[in-house]
């Protein structure tokens, strides 16, 4: 579906001379696209064929939104409230790319398959939340509370999880390639079949962590850090050939 939207977007761009505007919220972009007869990109961008800044400014003022031209600067999304996330998720919206959820309280919430890539979630409380198959690519989850959370098959490539609490979290089949997991608490976590290639795991707490079948190719860690990791069977033990131990 994403590919179809992207192809349609690019084809439309080629056939028209237009301006691409970025707004500071997804809601504002959607409403202004309707007001100005523009094309909404599903996120915070709008394409308009007639560049009437007076009309844009008037519409933006009505919605108390700010905007800029694409390429001029990056419009940062306003802080999203927990209630707004839950309301929009309940009606089927899953795209919250670049959302500002710093310090948000979303504990025990069911948010499977949500797209929070590039979102700011530092210090957020996501304990026991259902984030299975969620897209958290490059999200900032530093010092977040993810204890007991379901992150099975989640996409966490290049995510910042430094000093996060992942105690007893389920990360089965999760993709954590290139993620920053330094000083993270993984005690009792299930990382069965997880992809940890190129991840920074220096100083992580692996006490009773299940790393059966995990991919640690070129991960940054000290071999002794794995001393307390739990293995489900003798055949699944992790050897030094699977990663490149590096000093702190």
């Amino acid at each position: 579906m994403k590919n179809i939207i992207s192809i349609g977007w690019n084809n439309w761009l080629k056939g028209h001379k237009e301006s691409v505007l970025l707004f500071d919220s997804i809601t504002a972009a959607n409403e202004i696209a309707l007001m100005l007869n523009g094309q909404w990109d599903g996120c915070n961008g709008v394409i308009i064929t007639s560049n009437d800044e007076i009309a844009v400014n008037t519409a933006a003022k009505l919605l108390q939104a700010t905007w800029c031209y694409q390429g001029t600067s990056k419009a940062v999304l306003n802080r999203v409230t927990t209630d707004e996330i839950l309301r929009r998720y309940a009606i089927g919206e899953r795209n919250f790319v670049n959302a500002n959820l710093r310090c948000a309280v979303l504990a025990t919430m069911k948010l499977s398959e949500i797209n929070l890539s590039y979102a700011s979630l530092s210090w957020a409380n996501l304990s026991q939340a259902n984030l299975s198959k969620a897209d958290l690519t490059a999200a900032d989850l530093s010092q977040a509370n993810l204890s007991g959370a379901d992150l099975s098959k989640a996409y966490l490539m290049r995510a910042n999880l430094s000093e996060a609490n992942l105690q007893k979290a389920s990360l089965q089949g999760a993709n954590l390639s290139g993620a920053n997991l330094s000083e993270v608490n993984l005690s009792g976590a299930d990382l069965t079949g997880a992809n940890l290639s190129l991840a920074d795991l220096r100083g992580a707490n692996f006490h009773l962590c299940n790393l059966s079948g995990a991919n640690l190719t070129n991960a940054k860690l000290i071999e002794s850090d794995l001393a307390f990791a739990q293995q489900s069977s003798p055949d699944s033990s992790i050897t030094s050939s699977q990663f490149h131990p590096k000093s702190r």
Side-chain angles (χ1 to χ4, degrees):
M1 183 64 182
K2 290 181 179 178
N3 290 335
I4 294 173
I5 293 173
S6 178
I7 292 169
W9 174 273
N10 290 331
N11 289 339
W12 199 89
L13 280 173
K14 290 176 183 178
H16 297 77
K17 290 183 178 180
E18 67 296 307
S19 296
V20 181
L21 312 179
L22 298 178
F23 292 86
D24 61 356
S25 77
I26 292 174
T27 302
N30 185 17
E31 293 188 18
I32 288 173
L34 292 173
M35 293 167 68
L36 301 180
N37 195 28
Q39 182 171 341
W40 179 47
D41 71 349
C43 192
N44 66 321
V46 175
I47 298 176
I48 57 174
T49 53
S50 58
N51 185 13
D52 185 346
E53 289 194 3
I54 294 176
V56 175
N57 286 329
T58 300
K61 187 176 181 179
L62 285 172
L63 295 171
Q64 298 184 327
T66 58
W67 66 279
C68 65
Y69 289 106
Q70 181 173 285
T72 302
S73 62
K74 181 179 179 181
V76 179
L77 301 184
N78 287 334
R79 190 175 189 281
V80 185
T81 65
T82 299
D83 288 343
E84 184 180 356
I85 283 281
L86 298 178
R87 177 184 63 80
R88 288 160 60 183
Y89 185 90
I91 61 176
E93 186 172 345
R94 297 292 181 268
N95 189 359
F96 298 92
V97 176
N98 200 35
N100 184 355
L101 286 161
R102 193 168 180 265
C103 301
V105 178
L106 292 163
T108 73
M109 299 301 175
K110 295 180 180 179
L111 298 168
S112 60
E113 299 186 21
I114 193 169
N115 185 351
L116 286 166
S117 54
Y118 299 94
S120 175
L121 289 152
S122 54
W123 290 287
N125 184 357
L126 293 155
S127 59
Q128 298 183 24
N130 183 351
L131 292 162
S132 59
K133 298 182 181 179
D135 188 347
L136 290 153
T137 302
D140 182 4
L141 288 150
S142 55
Q143 300 186 60
N145 181 2
L146 290 152
S147 58
D150 182 359
L151 287 155
S152 56
K153 297 184 179 179
Y155 301 94
L156 289 147
M157 295 82 74
R158 305 187 309 284
N160 180 8
L161 288 147
S162 60
E163 300 183 57
N165 182 3
L166 283 160
Q167 185 176 11
K168 295 184 179 180
S170 174
L171 289 147
Q172 296 180 43
N175 190 340
L176 291 138
S177 177
N180 181 359
L181 291 149
S182 58
E183 307 293 335
V184 72
N185 183 1
L186 287 165
S187 59
D190 189 352
L191 283 151
T192 303
N195 182 2
L196 291 158
S197 61
L198 300 171
D200 187 347
L201 291 157
R202 290 173 292 186
N205 179 358
F206 289 103
H207 186 67
L208 296 180
C209 173
N210 191 343
L211 288 164
S212 303
N215 179 3
L216 287 161
T217 303
N218 293 324
K220 297 177 183 177
L221 49 76
I222 296 176
E223 190 169 353
S224 59
D225 287 343
L226 296 174
F228 298 101
Q230 177 182 333
Q231 301 300 320
S232 61
S233 69
D235 294 334
S236 62
S237 60
I238 297 171
T239 64
S240 58
S241 63
Q242 290 178 277
F243 59 89
H244 291 240
K246 298 183 181 181
S247 62
R248 296 178 194 273

